[in-house]
Amino acid sequence: MEWETVIGLEIHAQLATKSKIFSSASTAYGAEPNTQACAVDLGLPGVLPVLNQEVVRMAVKFGMAIDAEIAPYSVFARKNYFYPDLPKGYQISQMDHPIVGTGHLDIEVDGSNKRIGITRAHLEEDAGKSLHENFHGSTGIDLNRAGTPLLEIVSEPDMRSAQEAVAYMRKIHELVQYLEICDGNMQEGSFRCDANVSIRPKGQEALGTRAELKNINSFKFVEKAINIEVERQIDVLEGGGTVIQETRLYDADKNETRSMRSKEEANDYRYFPDPDLLPVEITNALCEQVRTELPELPSAKKLRFQDQYQQDEEISTTLTSSRQLADYYEAVVKTSECDAKLCSNWVSGTFLGALNKAGLEINESPVNYEHLAGLIKRIADQTISGKIAKQVFEELWNNDATADEIIEKQGLKQITDSKEIETLIDKIIADNPKQVEQYLSGKDKVFGFFVGQTMKASQGKASPKEVNKILENKLK
Amino acid sequence: MHNKTITELSKALREREFSSVELTQSYLDRIKKHNALNSFITINEEMALEGAKVADTILANTNTNLLTGIPIAQKDIFCTQGVKTSCGSKMLDNFISPYNATVVENFNNAGAVMLGKLNMDEFAMGSSNETSFYGSVQNPWNTNCVPGGSSGGSASAVAARLTPAATGTDTGGSIRQPASFCGITGLKPTYGRVSRYGMIAFASSLDQAGPMTRSAEDAALLLQTMSGFDTKDSTSLDIPVPSYSASLNNNLEGLKIGLPKEFFSEGLNNDVAQTIESAINEYRKMGAEIKEVSLPHMKLSIPVYYIIAPAECSANLSRFDGVRFGYRCSEPKDLNDLYIRSRGEAFGDEVKRRILMGTYALSAGYYDAYYIKAQKVRRLISEDFKQAFAEVDVLMGPVSPSPTFGLGEKTADPIEMYLADIYTIAVNLAGLPAISIPAGFADEKPVGLQIISNYFTESHLLNIAHKFQQTTHWHQLSPKGFE
């Protein structure tokens, strides 16, 4: 039988606020355990939550970017369950009235577009962390993360392959970073995903029973976990069994999913509106204000790059893959006032290559856009050749100096004076009679030898264009 | 000096008739002398005397707040930094709060001196103060009787003159009913008037703190200090606080008083009914117009309350899990054992009963039938009051169907205990302000008159109460043995 895979994702994006969703404690990652948990985060008797208005703006921003309805009235609810790293014994979340309603996002897989529906997005607080190591059989609790704001983005079961799921997840990942509402750091857990996976006979409309795969925290694992789960479900059904509704955990080491708890064992969370918090009212004025702050979104930016900079689709996709990179590129073009393609060659080539090699983000780059623009300017006006430029770039990377300073200091200026080059060439022709003879007898390849010798003699500084021209004349 | 009102004490302190240290010491002596009442859980002797010393230097120097140097006592539901905050429970017997409730902070800023922490029903769940882990409290008017609850320690201590005034909290009548039982003045403000920050939550949408004093005049002074918007409490309202003392003497000519017929029906003790009637007559003499009104859904307030309050408390009390603070059972064998035994050993029966009721009401399959339905009825009850206030300025009636009852008399039957709050609960469900003032006696036990007014009209309420106290003497009477 032919099976069809059906996937829906629940993505948790940690909102990039300075302070927590209901307290003024810092959200910075990596502090000593329990140093960033105040009385409210600890759930001390008598404390009350106060909503950080910044999270509302961020959720509205996201809602607008996916073309969703923004709820004029949304409600925080208590989700009740006991766990040691959940200080109040309930999580403040949203249930019946989420802040962001139905929206959608377009993804591209194998060159064709597909629209993925987004059911809702709601605000909630994160729990703390349980630490099971180094406590002599006990469990340690770190509440630094407790109260960190999360936006849970729930998709429709619209994806039909692991590949589509990954494309959707990447798209959301890119979007939340574009909107500057999430740092997207998956290693630190700022962007996490649960996947609801089911299969059904191809052509059948009714959905199969789903398994929820928990906390799969990289694009690679999402793809692997879904594929292995689909295989498992096919085996179960084809073996005459039934898939049961349950929560499963993906084990990356063994590349398998295993049951965590079945539906029957699932908690009754007893959601009810949190009486400590007023309903969130979102006015038109707030929506309008957020709309003006909305950045150009990736798809629009990509189209503009194709149009404004005459870039092909591939380069435009690369340049707009993050907002930082796109901004960097545009700053280089603007500052250098040089050809947009020359700039994109350098930004997407040498620059991005060096960053990737060093494992750095754009904002950590040792070469800022002004320095790179300075270098590109000197290529454009032929002060240096492309080859020397690579050498200068390396100097820029390692030193805090401008391209002009490096060129001046190291005497890297291109030799364009034809007299000077002619002198060099005359000497090389005189020193290599055998090669001259070979060339004249029809071995065109030997021409490269003369170019190479000339460049070497000029320590790479001779203008390749001039060298070619003069050599052609001399070797007629 | 313990028979003086706060206004009189404040004047005496200013005129150096006695110092705050002397005043504080005299109350501490009385507290110890009348230890048998069991109205205090914690006596804060050292810190109180230190605070009084500081107050004395301030009194010597500057133009001060009227409460500077005045001793007060806090219900043990308010978090007090460095002082045990038990909420009447074994669960928090070892809990020293690292921070102050906003109400406590406000009194500190005013220069008031905290004598100690007052006994109460466990987590404010009770109507007789008999659910306290620290034992029951005696009513000074009849030491075999309960002081009411949950602010029983507050009412008993104020009535016995162990403190000039106290704070209380009222979720379903917990200020008004003990005030009535102990013959003092107790005001439950509009929901949102006083910050709930640092006040250990029982039922968050109903809880409200208020003053418990010997007169409306004193209540005005305390409420002035307690009230106001607090950025730490999203449910507190940013509405200006008027001067509560300024309007105390306003004329009551033409005041329209509504008597809800549901307050005077079956189940009301005859002596109480007569006492209330004669109190209302006093207002008639002052020129008020009296008319009957109806609150048709009031009869549903007890069932509604016993869904909403337990539902909220079932979540509010989840944080007491033995993990971070409070009671932890000895040598738990695993996580579940830690939860089950810590909570099982440290919560009393009434608290457990309400957690169970609330958990049930919120469970899948019951939520719509109980919780949602209760919220709808709650709106109808609010609507009833709205209708009534379209016709009259205030509502009057009894606080409780009967005066205080014997210790142990109703502990076996929770339903009978719940019915003692029949006249007070609807006010909490609607979020309205209401006051209980001494109106006389039934069978030698104090009876309180309840006055209910519209949202944020505490000034009016205090004015109406004060005018009554200008023409009656009930609030000035001392229980025998405590003069």
Side-chain angles (χ1 to χ4, degrees), chain A residues 39-51 78 80-90 96 141 143 268-278, chain B residues 79 92 95 98-99 191 196-201 204-205 231-235 311-312 315-316 318-321 323-325 335 339 343 359 362-364 367 371:
Chain A
V40 173
D41 307 321
L42 294 175
L44 287 184
V47 298
L48 295 169
V50 176
L51 179 62
R78 294 181 180 179
N80 295 286
Y81 65 95
F82 281 99
Y83 205 71
D85 59 24
L86 186 72
K88 298 186 293 296
Y90 58 84
D96 288 339
I141 309 288
L143 294 174
D268 175 0
Y269 290 121
R270 305 190 309 280
Y271 280 97
F272 74 103
D274 192 330
D276 288 333
L277 290 159
L278 304 175
Chain B
C79 285
L92 291 179
F95 179 65
Y99 76 103
Y191 183 80
R196 292 188 298 116
Y197 188 78
M199 182 177 123
I200 299 175
S204 315
S205 74
T231 53
K232 294 190 194 118
D233 175 5
S234 314
T235 61
E312 292 181 9
N316 282 334
S318 292
R319 69 189 61 197
F320 305 108
D321 56 6
V323 175
R324 284 146 297 129
F325 47 75
L335 181 60
Y339 285 151
R343 289 167 68 80
T359 303
L362 290 174
S363 295
Y367 179 76
Y371 185 80

Side-chain angles (χ1 to χ4, degrees), chain A residues 120-301:
Chain A
R120 59 184 281 164
H122 66 254
L123 290 166
E124 62 185 25
E125 58 178 343
D126 208 345
K129 277 182 189 160
S130 294
L131 310 168
H132 299 290
E133 281 162 35
N134 304 325
F135 289 95
H136 314 287
S138 295
T139 296
I141 309 288
D142 176 8
L143 294 174
N144 282 352
R145 201 180 65 182
T148 299
L150 299 176
L151 185 67
E152 180 172 335
I153 305 156
V154 183
S155 85
E156 290 288 312
D158 282 352
M159 288 150 277
R160 295 290 172 267
S161 68
Q163 208 189 351
E164 285 185 9
V166 172
Y168 166 77
M169 191 176 166
R170 280 191 189 279
K171 197 81 193 244
I172 294 275
H173 188 244
E174 175 189 80
L175 180 62
V176 293
Q177 291 180 82
Y178 251 83
L179 297 170
E180 293 178 324
I181 61 172
C182 173
D183 68 14
N185 191 326
M186 294 168 86
Q187 220 122 45
E188 292 175 4
S190 305
F191 191 84
R192 326 195 277 268
C193 171
D194 302 336
N196 286 306
V197 179
S198 65
I199 59 168
R200 62 184 171 191
K202 194 141 199 164
Q204 178 185 306
E205 206 172 314
L207 292 170
T209 306
R210 68 173 193 270
E212 185 181 5
L213 307 180
K214 274 281 173 202
N215 264 329
I216 19 189
N217 297 333
S218 80
F219 297 118
K220 196 173 84 189
F221 289 163
V222 167
E223 187 159 8
K224 283 181 142 183
I226 291 173
N227 283 331
I228 205 76
E229 174 61 16
V230 168
E231 270 178 43
R232 186 191 70 86
Q233 292 188 12
I234 291 174
D235 284 349
V236 168
L237 292 179
E238 293 190 341
T242 46
V243 172
I244 54 165
Q245 190 176 331
E246 61 183 348
T247 304
R248 298 181 71 85
L249 199 70
Y250 176 66
D251 182 334
D253 294 332
K254 294 181 180 159
N255 192 32
E256 63 173 29
T257 66
R258 58 169 180 270
S259 183
M260 262 173 84
R261 56 173 180 264
S262 71
K263 191 189 174 191
E264 286 70 35
E265 295 165 287
N267 281 315
D268 175 0
Y269 290 121
R270 305 190 309 280
Y271 280 97
F272 74 103
D274 192 330
D276 288 333
L277 290 159
L278 304 175
V280 182
E281 283 183 47
I282 295 173
T283 59
N284 284 335
L286 176 68
C287 285
E288 284 322 306
Q289 200 197 346
V290 171
R291 202 179 291 283
T292 61
E293 293 164 7
L294 215 56
E296 185 181 28
L297 296 177
S299 48
K301 200 182 279 275

Side-chain angles (χ1 to χ4, degrees), chain B residues 220-261:
Chain B
L221 285 178
L222 259 76
L223 185 63
Q224 199 75 49
T225 297
M226 295 171 81
S227 296
F229 177 61
D230 182 6
T231 53
K232 294 190 194 118
D233 175 5
S234 314
T235 61
S236 79
L237 269 96
D238 196 359
I239 290 176
V241 179
S243 166
Y244 294 118
S245 301
S247 49
L248 285 176
N249 287 303
N250 286 2
N251 196 306
L252 297 185
E253 192 79 41
L255 176 74
K256 287 189 204 133
I257 298 171
L259 306 181
K261 64 176 183 206

Side-chain angles (χ1 to χ4, degrees), chain B residues 281-327:
Chain B
N281 244 332
E282 285 297 325
Y283 283 106
R284 197 173 272 127
K285 283 189 240 160
M286 289 181 232
E289 298 167 23
I290 318 287
K291 89 187 254 196
E292 191 185 87
V293 293
S294 175
L295 302 170
H297 297 94
M298 206 197 78
K299 59 179 182 292
L300 298 172
S301 59
I302 287 188
V304 165
Y305 177 86
Y306 278 99
I307 289 167
I308 292 172
E312 292 181 9
C313 101
S314 73
N316 282 334
L317 269 59
S318 292
R319 69 189 61 197
F320 305 108
D321 56 6
V323 175
R324 284 146 297 129
F325 47 75
Y327 181 81

Side-chain angles (χ1 to χ4, degrees), chain B residues 52 62 89 120 130-131 156 173 205 217 219 255 262 264 288 337 381 446 455 461 464 472-473:
Chain B
T62 47
S89 180
M120 57 182 282
E130 288 165 291
T131 70
S156 171
S205 74
E217 190 184 20
L255 176 74
E262 294 78 8
F264 297 91
D337 191 43
I381 291 168
Y455 299 102
L461 216 45
I464 295 165
T472 61
H473 69 293

